[in-house]
Amino acid sequence: MKSETKIIYHEEQNVFHLYNEEVSYIMMVLPDGELGQLYFGQRIHDKEDFSYLLELAPRPMSSCVFPEAKTFSLEQIKLELPTYGSSDYRTPAVDILQPDGSRILDLQYEGYRIERGKPKLAGLPATYTENPDEAKTLIIELHDQKAGVKAEIFYTLFAVGGLLAKSVRYRNVGQDTLRLQRAMSFCLDLPDADYDWLQLSGAWARERHVKSRPLEMGIISIGSRRGHSSHEHNPFVVLKRPSATEQQGEVMGLSLVYSGNFQIQAEVDAHHTTRILAGIHPENFCWVLEPGDDFQTPEAVMAYSTGGLNGMSQLFHGLYQKRLARGYWRDRVRPILINNWEATYFDFTEQKLLQIAGKAKECGVELFVLDDGWFGARCSDHAGLGDWTPNQQRLPEGIHGLAERIEALGMKFGLWFEPEMVNMDSDLYRTHPDWILATPGRRQSHGRFQYVLDFSRQEVVDNIYTQMAAILGDAKVSYVKWDMNRSITECYSAVLPPERQGEVFHRYILGVYDLYERLTTRFPEILFESCSSGGGRFDPGMLYYAPQAWTSDDSDAIERLKIQYGTSLCYPVSSMGSHVSVIPNHQVNRNTPLHTRANVAYFGTFGYELDLNKLSAEEIAEVKQQIRFMKEHRALLQFGTFYRLCSPFEGNETAWMVVSPDKQQAIVGWYRTLNQVNADFTRVKLCGLQPDILYKNDHGESAYGDELMNLGLITTDVTAGEIPSDKKPCTDFESRIYVLEAVDSAQQ
Ligand code: GLA
């Protein structure tokens, strides 16, 4: 049966039921005219009357809405757009300051409309449909007459999978100026609190580690006030039933398609109901809505699965790969690249770059990326940002000349930019000192000696666009790495009036999106990779413009196990920039085998971040083999169905795998952090295979899918602790790749 989204309006009860094969979302217009929610979860049958799901009880201390009734308190009701100051004391989703100083709102249901597919969000990244049957969108209109404000809540339910996108648009329809002080994108009230909360948190070079804890009465909240989504917390959380595992059980993931300040929180009240809120961080946010003005919130996406964490992740992977990422590179395997950053840092000449590129070409690398240091007076991190013209001393014939030489070697050429930044030692700053975000008369904190350009200003974005477009239009550039290496401080725009300073953070990110949109439109075949000191802006907002992101500045394979494992909860393999780097590793000084470095990097976009000229002949032979392997298997590795099998957060072994859509092929990555003596026998239970297919692997073994999934792939390492004369010693940081191929039934 064809999957389809249904949106039913039961007029008599004023009830809406959105559903597909997987989920149901039921709402009703409440007796007081607000919009309430009755159910969200696994699909249930539609029927005429769901109003009995509105639970009311007389509770002595409750504040009540109707003069004659003691049961109708908003405190007990699941609300779609809760407001400040009502009989609901939980955190509101919206807060509007009105001219009389009041913040009370009464958003009354006014009507609804249904659209096939999914409308675009002006100026903001969002998931999309290519064909109107892929989703339906319910738009519910609410109106507060006294304040003169209308709210439209957008609910898009995709036809396939439990995927729901939600956002809100506000409009000032009155005569007075309004101040929007809180405008969350998503609110969901759940009837119980029996969940574990998972978040992806960390810091620079250890981003997106999985942290979990049970929900408890009170508030759990994550967010960013740094101006970018941040290394510290990713705009993503999971609520899972305590019994749910990677492979089974009820799981909900919530992801915000936004790259700026955000907040996601869960609030458990005294009666163990849970309110989830997600959106722009309300601190220091205040948007002035003049009569006639609109404000569109970013979009939040919920993925609901009864197939455990892997089931939820696969929903996000599919959606973000196919209906968030766009353009030429969306469905294409990614070029194998070499990046000169860890090979040279700022210390390079054109000749040195060509040597690195030449050796890489010999090994089969397809794209050479020139990182930081090619422009203006950029010989260290003290100068040059903002001046996007080639440094003539280093590159006598500019980017144009270097790109031609790289192309002549038979490779593509890529280039690093940090568009949003400026050093004080730059011509741009000397000409426009007021173009940075800085509060008049206050300290100007720096990060890595650089300052943040005021991207809330059109002329600033225009200037950077003109500079970048000149380089990209003139030279053969096939790839851009777009970096962002500091957080915002003393946020203030020189051109906005005092009452609009609360808009700067959001206007800044809209400026970033605008520049991305213009560059990706003008240069549609350039592959953009986003970056923010590694993974400081690894979020769905960026994936709309750049289908891949540099996952972390930590390139050590063992550190990357945790980082890539955590990242995979929400983001697809094709989005994770992952490179083989030198040993001792530059971040943690660790020595890992060359094959383990590649075995981790295969589950990503794959590339090298070292000078291959410094490797031995034996290592070069291994690198050539790695590149051949990646070219042969990258379509499956980057676009296959990904399963996490063993978590690096739980034990000494990590494992994950990808399976082809037809289940004829699979690749398993197995990694053991420390070697053991007198070790256990070990097996890894695989997932997603066809039970009755016989698979043979490249280690000479064959087994049926059911055997591999129920009994497991045997990973026991007989060499651990003992070194057979014909084998290399097995070390710490060992790993293996297993390539599984279905044996043709005729051969069985
Ligand atoms: C950031 C990036 C690195 C590199 C440097 C260059 O830290 O994450 O990969 O590009 O900037 O300055």
Side-chain angles (χ1 to χ4, degrees):
M1 204 180 84
K2 205 172 128 242
S3 286
E4 193 188 351
T5 305
K6 296 259 194 200
I7 300 180
I8 313 282
Y9 173 55
H10 295 291
E11 205 171 338
E12 210 161 304
Q13 310 292 339
N14 254 332
V15 166
F16 294 91
H17 187 185
L18 287 74
Y19 62 91
N20 62 16
E21 306 248 298
E22 310 294 330
V23 289
S24 281
Y25 196 143
I26 306 175
M27 291 172 278
M28 80 176 279
V29 180
L30 298 170
D32 73 334
E34 288 186 63
L35 189 63
Q37 183 254 104
L38 299 178
Y39 174 75
F40 174 72
Q42 203 167 352
R43 153 85 186 270
I44 58 174
H45 278 96
D46 186 49
K47 63 181 203 199
E48 261 319 298
D49 188 8
F50 284 109
S51 56
Y52 70 95
L53 287 170
L54 182 62
E55 294 164 318
L56 302 173
R59 288 182 182 145
M61 277 304 290
S62 290
S63 311
C64 299
V65 172
F66 299 114
E68 296 310 318
K70 272 172 66 182
T71 54
F72 193 85
S73 169
L74 296 176
E75 195 173 352
Q76 306 168 16
I77 294 173
K78 298 191 275 296
L79 296 167
E80 281 300 301
L81 197 56
T83 59
Y84 166 80
S86 71
S87 57
D88 172 21
Y89 295 96
R90 293 164 291 183
T91 312
V94 55
D95 187 347
I96 297 179
L97 182 63
Q98 297 149 51
D100 63 359
S102 151
R103 293 158 58 198
I104 302 302
L105 285 174
D106 187 5
L107 288 161
Q108 293 283 306
Y109 172 78
E110 207 172 56
Y112 76 97
R113 59 186 196 275
I114 294 171
E115 290 185 18
R116 290 175 69 216
K118 184 169 188 292
K120 282 193 165 194
L121 302 194
L124 282 167
T127 57
Y128 58 90
T129 49
E130 279 197 339
N131 141 1
D133 291 337
E134 290 174 5
K136 280 201 184 91
T137 302
L138 169 67
I139 301 144
I140 296 193
E141 298 150 29
L142 307 170
H143 185 191
D144 182 319
Q145 205 117 30
K146 181 169 184 325
V149 65
K150 284 200 177 192
E152 289 179 318
I153 316 181
F154 291 72
Y155 304 86
T156 300
L157 182 63
F158 288 86
V160 180
L163 284 164
L164 176 85
K166 199 173 160 183
S167 69
V168 188
R169 186 162 67 199
Y170 293 96
R171 171 167 294 168
N172 183 340
V173 292
Q175 307 299 320
D176 299 316
T177 303
L178 300 173
R179 287 187 167 74
L180 188 57
Q181 306 189 130
R182 168 188 286 270
M184 303 310 272
S185 304
F186 184 93
C187 175
L188 182 67
D189 286 341
L190 296 165
D192 68 81
D194 190 20
Y195 292 99
D196 287 337
W197 158 284
L198 262 65
Q199 66 193 56
L200 300 179
S201 296
W204 172 79
R206 55 179 162 81
E207 299 90 340
R208 291 175 300 286
H209 282 208
V210 181
K211 307 278 177 196
S212 101
R213 56 195 138 146
L215 286 188
E216 254 305 339
M217 213 182 284
I219 292 177
I220 296 184
S221 171
I222 57 155
S224 166
R225 287 168 296 184
R226 293 172 164 269
H228 55 113
S229 49
S230 87
H231 302 86
E232 284 73 13
H233 299 295
N234 198 258
F236 170 75
V237 300
V238 177
L239 291 188
K240 71 179 254 307
R241 293 298 186 187
S243 60
T245 64
E246 281 286 4
Q247 322 306 359
Q248 60 76 37
E250 189 183 32
V251 174
M252 283 181 246
L254 179 61
S255 165
L256 191 66
V257 186
Y258 191 56
S259 311
N261 289 351
F262 76 95
Q263 187 180 53
I264 305 182
Q265 73 170 45
E267 179 171 5
V268 178
D269 73 0
H271 293 95
H272 297 100
T273 71
T274 304
R275 169 167 294 171
I276 313 293
L277 286 171
I280 294 178
H281 202 301
E283 190 172 321
N284 198 34
F285 170 79
C286 181
W287 196 274
V288 176
L289 279 177
E290 294 295 351
D293 281 0
D294 274 349
F295 183 83
Q296 171 66 58
T297 74
E299 162 171 308
V301 177
M302 169 144 287
Y304 175 92
S305 173
T306 51
L309 291 165
N310 274 319
M312 171 209 68
S313 298
Q314 287 163 11
L315 288 172
F316 278 120
H317 295 174
L319 185 72
Y320 286 180
Q321 221 161 27
K322 299 288 179 197
R323 294 294 180 266
L324 176 65
R326 300 174 297 168
Y328 181 84
W329 285 100
R330 186 186 75 179
D331 303 331
R332 286 184 156 80
V333 294
R334 305 299 156 72
I336 296 173
L337 67 82
I338 187 150
N339 178 304
N340 75 306
W341 180 241
E342 288 197 15
T344 66
Y345 295 104
F346 289 112
D347 182 19
F348 61 82
T349 58
E350 179 165 304
Q351 202 198 353
K352 196 162 173 184
L353 298 176
L354 288 167
Q355 273 167 6
I356 293 173
K359 191 70 182 176
K361 170 66 191 166
E362 181 200 318
C363 294
V365 172
E366 298 158 314
L367 168 71
F368 173 82
V369 178
L370 172 55
D371 210 280
D372 195 355
W374 58 267
F375 49 89
R378 186 79 169 166
C379 295
S380 75
D381 55 12
H382 283 77
L385 288 171
D387 297 342
W388 300 106
T389 44
N391 181 315
Q392 292 292 325
Q393 271 151 8
R394 290 178 161 198
L395 304 172
E397 285 166 59
I399 290 298
H400 182 94
L402 177 62
E404 288 220 319
R405 290 195 174 91
I406 298 289
E407 287 255 342
L409 288 174
M411 296 172 97
K412 296 289 179 197
F413 177 74
L415 196 58
W416 181 96
F417 286 91
E418 197 176 353
E420 299 149 70
M421 300 293 158
V422 68
N423 287 112
M424 284 192 177
D425 185 359
S426 69
D427 290 341
L428 187 75
Y429 182 81
R430 281 183 283 272
T431 321
H432 300 288
D434 69 326
W435 277 14
I436 62 171
L437 291 170
T439 303
R442 296 290 175 188
R443 161 192 313 124
Q444 294 168 4
S445 307
H446 72 94
R448 209 193 186 197
F449 314 109
Q450 66 197 47
Y451 298 84
V452 185
L453 285 170
D454 182 356
F455 264 41
S456 74
R457 291 170 69 168
Q458 190 65 51
E459 70 270 38
V460 177
V461 176
D462 288 347
N463 176 292
I464 300 299
Y465 171 78
T466 307
Q467 290 197 58
M468 289 178 77
I471 296 276
L472 301 178
D474 169 60
K476 286 188 176 158
V477 180
S478 305
Y479 161 107
V480 165
K481 178 175 171 186
W482 177 321
D483 214 334
M484 194 278 186
N485 280 321
R486 68 156 288 189
S487 304
I488 294 174
T489 54
E490 295 95 30
C491 183
Y492 191 97
S493 171
V495 292
L496 283 176
E499 66 277 14
R500 286 195 179 268
Q501 292 299 328
E503 300 177 10
V504 180
F505 274 115
H506 184 58
R507 285 188 183 275
Y508 173 87
I509 212 74
L510 293 178
V512 172
Y513 291 150
D514 177 40
L515 183 58
Y516 256 118
E517 186 67 32
R518 286 156 76 182
L519 289 168
T520 50
T521 306
R522 166 99 182 262
F523 304 101
E525 291 190 13
I526 292 184
L527 171 61
F528 281 76
E529 176 157 348
S530 76
C531 176
S532 172
S533 295
R537 203 160 62 182
F538 199 122
D539 60 57
M542 285 290 114
L543 288 183
Y544 184 67
Y545 305 97
Q548 60 190 59
W550 182 225
T551 313
S552 174
D553 271 349
D554 197 332
S555 62
D556 173 74
I558 299 305
E559 298 299 302
R560 276 300 188 104
L561 288 174
K562 286 185 173 161
I563 295 168
Q564 292 177 206
Y565 195 94
T567 305
S568 78
L569 272 173
C570 183
Y571 305 99
V573 170
S574 60
S575 69
M576 287 189 233
S578 52
H579 301 166
V580 172
S581 63
V582 76
I583 54 166
N585 172 266
H586 287 189
Q587 293 79 42
V588 290
N589 267 315
R590 184 177 285 140
N591 288 313
T592 50
L594 182 54
H595 66 269
T596 291
R597 282 175 270 158
N599 289 348
V600 176
Y602 290 145
F603 289 83
T605 59
F606 198 73
Y608 291 82
E609 185 108 3
L610 45 75
D611 183 352
L612 291 166
N613 292 295
K614 296 190 174 149
L615 266 52
S616 68
E618 202 185 339
E619 287 171 323
I620 286 295
E622 195 175 334
V623 165
K624 288 181 178 169
Q625 177 51 35
Q626 291 170 353
I627 292 172
R628 276 198 297 276
F629 175 86
M630 190 61 191
K631 285 181 180 168
E632 188 180 342
H633 296 293
R634 62 184 151 182
L636 173 56
L637 287 161
Q638 291 169 356
F639 295 98
T641 309
F642 180 82
Y643 291 87
R644 288 173 301 274
L645 303 173
C646 301
S647 167
F649 297 99
E650 287 166 14
N652 193 38
E653 289 182 18
T654 302
W656 50 45
M657 69 185 290
V658 286
V659 185
S660 65
D662 63 5
K663 298 181 189 277
Q664 296 289 305
Q665 283 185 316
I667 299 179
V668 180
W670 172 87
Y671 314 87
R672 184 186 56 213
T673 303
L674 293 182
N675 205 356
Q676 287 178 315
V677 65
N678 194 15
D680 299 347
F681 296 112
T682 53
R683 298 169 182 177
V684 178
K685 287 187 182 176
L686 305 188
C687 289
L689 301 174
Q690 187 75 42
D692 50 6
I693 286 184
L694 182 67
Y695 295 89
K696 77 168 178 350
N697 74 34
D698 55 342
H699 297 249
E701 299 136 6
S702 4
Y704 280 96
D706 54 6
E707 199 178 328
L708 291 164
M709 293 192 290
N710 295 305
L711 189 153
L713 174 76
I714 292 174
T715 53
T716 304
D717 188 352
V718 287
T719 65
E722 197 182 322
I723 306 171
S725 53
D726 62 330
K727 289 225 169 95
K728 277 194 181 173
C730 215
T731 66
D732 288 341
F733 320 126
E734 184 52 296
S735 68
R736 262 175 253 145
I737 292 288
Y738 297 84
V739 180
L740 274 57
E741 303 263 0
V743 179
D744 196 325
S745 50
Q747 291 176 358
Q748 285 182 35

